[in-house]
Amino acid sequence: MKVYKFGGASIKDALGVKNVAHILQQEGASNCLLVISAMGKMTNAFENIINASINNDQDKLTESIDLTINFHTKIISGLFQDDHKIHQKVTILFGEMIHFLAENTSKEYDYLYDQIVCYGELLSTIIVSDYLNEFGIDNNWKDVRELVITDAVFRDASVNWKETEQRIKTYIDSSKLTIVQGFIGGDSNGNTTTLGREGSDYTAGIFAYCLDATNVTIWKDVLGVLNADPREFKETQLLNKISYEETIEMAFYGASVIHPKTIKPIQNKQIPLYVRSFNDFNSPGTKVSSGIIIEPIVPCFIVKKNQVLISISTRDFSFMVEENISDIFRLLHKYQLRVNLIQNSAISFSVCVDNNFNHFDQFYDEIKFIFKVSFIKGVDLYTVRHFTKNSLNEIHNLGSSILSQINKNTAQIIIQKK
């Protein structure tokens, strides 16, 4: 059993969908499960629908819905005849979404987010499934919300592994090609949940674990795992091999090639993971498994942008003790502020956090009555694994270094751009 994951960039247009068929033709489609993301940048487009609905902006809502309909219609027109049944399937899905928006009374953003953004994956998988059938690659389409069962924490759900494994083993025929949606799941009340942004990689790991897969392949628009994001650094190098442990470290610090939660389930069963290029599928890419830390050993750069650096101290200049730090982390957890760096002294405690859920202002409004707090928004956190003197100089030249932390293998530097 093989598990393949195709992200939005791989199916951003009709040519991309056709390319998936060619990859399956070359690699073999039997004994295979495909995890597929929303097409192109459609997750962002569905987020615009959610925001317009929350703000009760009917003109923007209509415009945003029309954009998503037109995008998918254009792709369909490049793949199917005008009378193909896919047109009706897509119309039904958009009708369901529009009906939900009309009937919905909840103003809870995270709940609404999961109920709407899932249509990106539902649409993409139905289109790819029907095209592969037309191409001559028979497949079974499955609704992942009936297979990956989670709790009811919207936008960051946790998997019920026992229930999920039982359902996947019961309902997936591993001898045939199966197509499922990435990123989404379902709770016990029938609501759609999501596994965190870019969670399709994690979905691939879940299915690989439950099906005892031979391997997992993530198809990307790069040759494999690079030592730096080519959008941020002019010179990058392909890593031929990388260990599970090193991948987890890099993912923890924010490397975007592989979702942080993906590695644990496949490592537990020693399932190798490959990162390969959908543009050059004759290239072997990067192998992630046990053994060699990285090959070759070069500095690896990871960037997390638009961070918030928070400095906290007691109001009476007393020591920052365990009780203080416990209170701080309770509030960070409450407001879903993910911590990426920690530094403390006798009387102060600094953290660099993501504000992906836009809850920082609420966090600040509560914590400012307990502690003395200052913060800087919009900073960038650079992490360098296996750093050298030259690699650190390269980061320092990007702007003003306002905080740094270095241990044996890893350097973290917070930069405020010039």
Side-chain angles (χ1 to χ4, degrees), residues 65 74-75 82 89 110 128 149 165 175 213 216 243 252-253 265 277 289 300 304 313 339 342 349 370 373 391:
I65 291 173
K74 181 179 179 181
I75 291 178
D82 291 343
K89 291 181 179 181
D110 291 350
V128 172
I149 307 305
E165 185 171 11
S175 68
V216 177
S243 68
F252 172 79
Y253 288 117
S277 170
S289 61
C300 297
K304 291 187 76 69
S313 59
V339 176
I342 301 170
F349 184 81
I370 309 171
V373 182
S391 64

Side-chain angles (χ1 to χ4, degrees), residues 82-128:
D82 291 343
D83 59 350
H84 194 277
K85 61 184 178 181
I86 188 64
H87 295 278
Q88 183 180 6
K89 291 181 179 181
V90 167
T91 299
I92 289 171
L93 279 175
F94 275 113
E96 288 177 0
M97 183 188 74
I98 293 167
H99 178 74
F100 174 86
L101 288 168
E103 296 295 321
N104 174 63
T105 57
S106 174
K107 292 298 181 182
E108 183 187 344
Y109 183 88
D110 291 350
Y111 165 77
L112 183 60
Y113 183 98
D114 284 4
Q115 309 320 302
I116 296 302
V117 79
C118 64
Y119 282 96
E121 278 70 21
L122 294 171
L123 288 158
S124 66
T125 51
I126 284 178
I127 292 169
V128 172

Side-chain angles (χ1 to χ4, degrees), residues 310-414:
I310 312 168
S311 298
I312 303 168
S313 59
T314 57
R315 291 188 169 277
D316 59 1
F317 291 97
S318 59
F319 290 154
M320 291 292 287
V321 295
E322 288 83 356
E323 183 178 354
N324 302 132
I325 296 172
S326 176
D327 289 338
I328 293 167
F329 272 96
R330 177 182 58 81
L331 291 174
L332 290 168
H333 176 74
K334 177 180 178 181
Y335 292 105
Q336 297 174 287
L337 298 171
R338 186 184 184 279
V339 176
N340 297 310
L341 180 147
I342 301 170
Q343 192 171 95
N344 66 290
S345 66
I347 61 172
S348 67
F349 184 81
S350 296
V351 287
C352 183
V353 302
D354 285 321
N355 187 27
N356 293 335
F357 296 91
N358 296 315
H359 294 162
F360 173 77
D361 291 342
Q362 296 165 268
F363 165 82
Y364 176 73
D365 287 342
E366 183 166 349
I367 199 171
K368 69 183 180 182
F369 294 107
I370 309 171
F371 298 101
K372 182 180 178 181
V373 182
S374 62
F375 61 88
I376 306 174
K377 290 185 176 181
V379 298
D380 298 335
L381 173 61
Y382 288 83
T383 301
V384 188
R385 294 279 295 169
H386 314 290
F387 61 87
T388 62
K389 182 178 179 180
N390 287 340
S391 64
L392 295 187
N393 287 338
E394 184 177 351
I395 301 304
H396 284 295
N397 289 334
L398 295 173
S400 300
S401 173
I402 55 178
L403 188 149
S404 62
Q405 188 164 269
I406 299 177
N407 62 32
K408 182 179 179 181
N409 293 315
T410 306
Q412 289 190 282
I413 303 168
I414 297 177

Side-chain angles (χ1 to χ4, degrees), residues 188-352:
S188 59
N189 296 316
N191 295 311
T192 303
T193 57
T194 59
L195 305 176
R197 192 69 189 268
E198 309 295 339
S200 293
D201 290 358
Y202 184 32
T203 304
I206 293 167
F207 277 91
Y209 176 90
C210 294
L211 294 169
D212 296 308
T214 305
N215 56 64
V216 177
T217 302
I218 297 175
W219 297 91
K220 304 281 288 185
D221 56 356
V222 291
L223 287 176
V225 178
L226 305 178
N227 73 319
D229 187 338
R231 295 170 296 184
E232 300 292 334
F233 294 87
K234 292 181 180 179
E235 296 183 7
T236 61
Q237 191 166 349
L238 175 68
L239 303 178
N240 302 316
K241 296 179 181 179
I242 183 169
S243 68
Y244 293 123
E245 292 78 9
E246 182 68 17
T247 307
I248 290 171
E249 290 281 356
M250 291 176 66
F252 172 79
Y253 288 117
S256 60
V257 173
I258 302 171
H259 191 275
K261 296 179 182 177
T262 305
I263 299 301
K264 186 177 185 299
I266 63 173
Q267 182 188 26
N268 288 347
K269 292 193 175 181
Q270 293 295 297
I271 300 168
L273 180 147
Y274 296 89
V275 181
R276 296 174 61 186
S277 170
F278 59 75
N279 292 317
D280 182 7
F281 41 89
N282 291 314
S283 174
T286 301
K287 181 180 181 180
V288 180
S289 61
S290 296
I292 298 171
I293 297 175
I294 59 170
E295 178 189 293
I297 297 178
V298 292
C300 297
F301 300 87
I302 302 152
V303 187
K304 291 187 76 69
K305 293 197 165 186
N306 198 28
Q307 303 284 287
V308 184
L309 177 61
I310 312 168
S311 298
I312 303 168
S313 59
T314 57
R315 291 188 169 277
D316 59 1
F317 291 97
S318 59
F319 290 154
M320 291 292 287
V321 295
E322 288 83 356
E323 183 178 354
N324 302 132
I325 296 172
S326 176
D327 289 338
I328 293 167
F329 272 96
R330 177 182 58 81
L331 291 174
L332 290 168
H333 176 74
K334 177 180 178 181
Y335 292 105
Q336 297 174 287
L337 298 171
R338 186 184 184 279
V339 176
N340 297 310
L341 180 147
I342 301 170
Q343 192 171 95
N344 66 290
S345 66
I347 61 172
S348 67
F349 184 81
S350 296
V351 287
C352 183

